[in-house]
Amino acid sequence: MTNEAFEAMMREHAAPVDTKGNYEQRLAATLDALPEKQGGVWSARRTAVLVLAAVMLLALASGAVAVGLGLFGQLREQNESSYERLALLDEAAASVGETAVLDGGTELTLEQVYCDGDRLYYSYTLAGENVALGDGAALEDGTTLTIWDRGEETADGVTCGYQEVELPETAKPGEALCVVLTVIAENEDGTYRFVEAPFTVTPAERQTYAGGASFAEYSADAQLYVTDVEIYGEVDVTGQTAWAELYESRADTDEEDYVVDYQLIADGEVLYNKDYTYGEADGGYGIPVRYDLPESCENLALRPVRYLSGECIEEEIVLK
Amino acid sequence: MMDREAFSKKVWEMRGSMLRLSVSLMRSRPDAEDAVQDAVLRAWERLGSLRDEAAFKTWMLSIVVNACKSALRKRRRLVLAEDIEIRSETRNETASALWECVMALEEKYRVPIVLHYYEGFSVREIASIVHAPVGTVAARMRRAREKLKCELMQRGESA
């Protein structure tokens, strides 16, 4: 079968799915029953400040010994893509257990924290009526920390959850950082008040691996960081302006077989990049990479994946 | 931020896409419908994480993928190919046979094929939906096409 015949067949016979009947009725009912809680909530004025004194030296976090499953471990069932990382986090995170009693009797407990200088992970429990943890954390200066992952379960009026947020590049291992969580509480008149709960974290040290390689078409330089829960970093690809333009435009192409991704090879184990964001492109381009922790970090190499031809073993970058 | 009415309208418009993607992962119509319901509720709870409303469809489908995978992990049960109920909804024998071949692919090949050929997404959009790098999706698409072609030709010869 030729490619043309295959494509034509797929176009002609990719039948629409039938959505009639019970599926549509259930979906309509679900949409009708959505709670009215999103619109306008976040614009309310901050009215109270509470200081949650939780000063932690997270450089010591990797030595923490978990007894049973902590919240990270309990919540890992919620998310397939975070399962491995949450299991490791449960072991690596520092147990905090600091509780702040907010006005109205609401209790916010910071259960576990882990911070590697790039990402901050925290698990919490929140007990009270008509309260929720806000949309991510912030620094003292108001800089919002983007949420990369989150999970929550509520039972008997107690919410258990975790969040993973991205720290700014100014965060350095070993340097303390003040992070502010915000609890949103609904007043009796339907308005909302925001209660801030700051805490201090010190990012743990991380191991650095680097490597580079030059080929006829391009050069690549990589820097990766190994933490207790994952490996992350970036590969900078230079030498082909057309590649950088394609990378930046995110357009499909049938002509340029450019490098779009890297797999991590760790003692023969192949790990796939879990970072689906795009780096900066300016002449060259940076490919962000993020992998689950392998069994061993003894022999690490990055294997490029080209857009058209796929994996390219002969262009691997050895990391040291 | 998007209000409830706008959210409901967008979800309703893409109900077919959500169901097909869910069926391709769950391989069972009732389970797929349950996963879509779960995904809609999750999406409403997490609406604040949607930074670009123009990307609503890919964002919503990525939540459907996560909801399906959570359900599969919880249920941990095998579903036989005979349980694939969507077969009866296809238009003709060729379409039905094609869908059977697609559903017989491994999940990592099946989902990109469904999103590309049945829903019209580009490789980059698929990458953001399934949380995989573009290169990985492109490589899986190539292998999936080869596997599909091979299976279709074998069926043609045996028929």
Side-chain angles (χ1 to χ4, degrees):
Chain A
M1 182 183 286
T2 64
N3 289 337
E4 290 74 16
F6 175 78
E7 294 292 329
M9 181 181 181
M10 294 301 291
R11 274 196 301 274
E12 184 179 351
H13 295 292
V17 66
D18 181 6
T19 62
K20 301 291 183 201
N22 189 44
Y23 170 67
E24 287 195 348
Q25 290 172 9
R26 285 183 64 199
L27 183 59
T30 299
L31 293 172
D32 281 344
L34 290 175
E36 285 278 10
K37 66 173 187 177
Q38 294 285 339
V41 169
W42 317 115
S43 60
R45 189 166 54 90
R46 294 179 183 217
T47 58
V49 175
L50 176 138
V51 176
L52 175 65
V55 180
M56 291 154 290
L57 290 175
L58 291 176
L60 301 175
S62 59
V65 178
V67 179
L69 281 181
L71 262 188
F72 285 128
Q74 292 170 35
L75 293 165
R76 65 186 177 177
E77 294 289 343
Q78 283 196 352
N79 193 329
E80 170 88 13
S81 62
S82 300
Y83 188 88
E84 295 297 334
R85 199 165 26 151
L86 288 171
L88 290 168
L89 268 171
D90 207 53
E91 295 176 6
S95 296
V96 182
E98 294 277 350
T99 300
V101 181
L102 315 182
D103 58 347
T106 297
E107 291 186 358
L108 170 64
T109 302
L110 197 61
E111 301 284 359
Q112 297 163 289
V113 178
Y114 181 81
C115 181
D116 61 24
D118 180 62
R119 299 287 168 95
L120 166 66
Y121 309 80
Y122 44 88
S123 63
Y124 58 88
T125 53
L126 186 61
E129 287 188 16
N130 299 322
V131 292
L133 196 63
D135 195 13
L139 298 182
E140 269 185 314
D141 64 5
T143 303
T144 301
L145 305 179
T146 303
I147 292 181
W148 279 91
D149 192 17
R150 69 200 300 180
E152 262 189 4
E153 283 180 354
T154 301
D156 300 327
V158 178
T159 299
C160 301
Y162 75 91
Q163 294 186 345
E164 171 191 351
V165 297
E166 182 179 20
L167 293 176
E169 289 183 359
T170 51
K172 305 289 184 204
E175 293 181 12
L177 194 67
C178 184
V179 176
V180 182
L181 299 181
T182 302
V183 174
I184 303 160
E186 185 176 3
N187 299 318
E188 287 182 359
D189 62 1
T191 60
Y192 293 87
R193 63 189 186 283
F194 290 70
V195 184
E196 294 184 337
F199 63 98
T200 303
V201 295
T202 303
E205 297 292 340
R206 57 195 179 185
Q207 201 170 354
T208 304
Y209 285 81
S214 291
F215 308 100
E217 284 184 290
Y218 73 98
S219 296
D221 291 289
Q223 181 145 309
L224 265 62
Y225 303 102
V226 179
T227 74
D228 293 307
V229 295
E230 62 182 352
I231 298 180
Y232 66 90
E234 186 166 291
V235 186
D236 292 319
V237 179
T238 54
Q240 293 281 346
T241 307
W243 289 12
E245 289 171 353
L246 270 172
Y247 185 81
E248 188 171 32
S249 67
R250 302 174 193 182
D252 286 329
T253 176
D254 293 324
E255 296 171 357
E256 293 286 349
D257 193 14
Y258 68 117
V259 175
V260 289
D261 190 22
Y262 279 88
Q263 297 171 352
L264 181 67
I265 313 299
D267 269 345
E269 182 185 358
V270 181
L271 294 109
Y272 298 94
N273 187 4
K274 299 177 75 171
D275 192 324
Y276 52 93
T277 61
Y278 292 84
E280 296 292 321
D282 183 14
Y285 55 103
I287 301 174
V289 292
R290 191 170 293 273
Y291 308 98
D292 283 335
L293 268 187
E295 291 291 321
S296 164
C297 290
E298 287 298 309
N299 299 297
L300 297 181
L302 287 165
R303 178 179 295 168
V305 179
R306 287 177 174 251
Y307 194 75
L308 299 176
S309 58
E311 299 153 21
C312 200
I313 296 174
E314 58 272 24
E315 294 177 2
E316 286 185 358
I317 303 169
V318 176
L319 299 170
K320 291 183 177 175
Chain B
M1 185 183 290
M2 189 183 293
D3 62 18
R4 195 177 79 163
E5 186 179 353
F7 173 82
S8 297
K9 184 171 182 290
K10 283 183 176 291
V11 166
W12 189 255
E13 286 169 353
M14 59 182 291
R15 62 192 184 283
S17 299
M18 291 191 298
L19 181 59
R20 189 197 300 281
L21 175 61
S22 187
V23 167
S24 74
L25 279 157
M26 303 301 293
R27 309 180 79 182
S28 152
R29 174 80 182 232
D31 289 350
E33 292 185 5
D34 288 345
V36 170
Q37 302 293 326
D38 184 35
V40 169
L41 293 172
R42 287 190 193 191
W44 177 242
E45 287 173 4
R46 301 171 187 181
L47 195 56
S49 67
L50 174 63
R51 304 292 175 198
D52 178 8
E53 289 189 16
F56 181 85
K57 189 170 183 181
T58 53
W59 175 80
M60 185 67 228
L61 290 180
S62 73
I63 294 175
V64 171
V65 168
N66 284 341
C68 289
K69 290 190 171 181
S70 291
L72 286 170
R73 180 179 286 284
K74 284 174 186 168
R75 289 166 194 168
R76 296 181 193 281
R77 66 183 173 86
L78 293 173
V79 179
L80 300 176
E82 285 74 12
D83 289 341
I84 303 168
E85 299 176 16
I86 204 165
R87 280 187 301 177
S88 61
E89 297 160 5
T90 50
R91 289 178 296 186
N92 55 45
E93 284 186 11
T94 307
S96 180
L98 183 59
W99 181 252
E100 281 182 44
C101 291
V102 170
M103 292 299 283
L105 292 169
E106 291 172 61
E107 181 194 306
K108 64 182 179 182
Y109 300 130
R110 186 167 72 238
V111 173
I113 286 289
V114 168
L115 287 171
H116 182 70
Y117 287 107
Y118 289 78
E119 300 300 337
F121 284 109
S122 72
V123 170
R124 289 189 184 280
E125 288 169 324
I126 295 168
S128 70
I129 290 170
V130 301
H131 307 308
V134 175
T136 303
V137 171
R140 287 177 182 173
M141 289 284 290
R142 272 194 304 280
R143 288 176 193 151
R145 285 190 191 102
E146 292 308 313
K147 283 173 178 283
L148 262 184
K149 276 196 278 188
C150 192
E151 179 65 25
L152 288 166
M153 286 172 71
Q154 282 179 352
R155 286 186 178 227
E157 286 169 5
S158 62

